[in-house]
């Protein structure tokens, strides 16, 4: 089964894709122990992207980030840093970038892999 192969290859099941409808942002912790990772899933127009849940500015969590699905931007609630929600590129501070995580959508679930 695909899920078993993904798990064996170091992928972690994050959330069912139904839990990340278009125009939404969801945070989830994947993995356990020292390998655990806080992940942010963003859905703009049906395209889901996975990032480490940490603003490139000070590493603060983006759980309450404001998603503008029309403009395709994600704005950090702490200091207003604004990102392209589909690429993670910071539009307010060129050169800054959210850490993008590999993502696969399999069997109705979003799977991410931490880069180690």
């Amino acid at each position: 089964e695909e899920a078993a192969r993904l798990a064996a290859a170091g992928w972690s099941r994050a959330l069912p894709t139904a839990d990340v409808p278009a125009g939404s942002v969801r945070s989830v912790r994947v993995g356990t122990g020292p390998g655990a990772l806080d992940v942010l899933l963003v859905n703009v127009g049906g395209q889901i992207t996975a990032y480490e849940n940490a603003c490139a500015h000070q590493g603060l969590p983006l759980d309450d980030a404001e998603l503008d699905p029309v403009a395709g931007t994600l704005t950090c609630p702490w200091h207003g840093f604004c990102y392209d929600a589909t690429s993670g590129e910071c539009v307010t501070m060129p050169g800054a970038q959210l850490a993008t995580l590999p993502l696969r959508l399999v069997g109705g679930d979003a799977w991410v892999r931490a880069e180690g």
Side-chain angles (χ1 to χ4, degrees), residues 55 66 68 71-76 79-85 88-94 96 98:
C55 179
E66 181 184 329
D68 182 334
T73 57
L74 186 70
T75 303
C76 177
H79 301 107
F81 277 61
C82 184
Y83 299 90
D84 179 313
E89 181 180 356
C90 187
V91 295
T92 49
M93 189 174 83
L98 293 178

Side-chain angles (χ1 to χ4, degrees), residues 6 11-20 26 28 30 39-43 48-50 102-113:
L6 286 172
W11 292 77
S12 298
R13 181 182 284 129
L15 288 172
T17 54
D19 288 357
V20 193
R26 297 287 181 267
V28 62
V30 298
V39 175
L40 193 74
L41 297 171
V42 181
N43 186 330
I48 300 176
T49 310
L103 172 73
R104 288 195 184 167
L105 305 178
V106 175
D109 289 318
W111 290 74
V112 295
R113 188 176 69 211

Side-chain angles (χ1 to χ4, degrees), residues 32-57:
T32 56
L37 184 66
D38 290 316
V39 175
L40 193 74
L41 297 171
V42 181
N43 186 330
V44 176
Q47 176 186 342
I48 300 176
T49 310
Y51 302 105
E52 286 187 29
N53 188 3
C55 179
H57 176 220

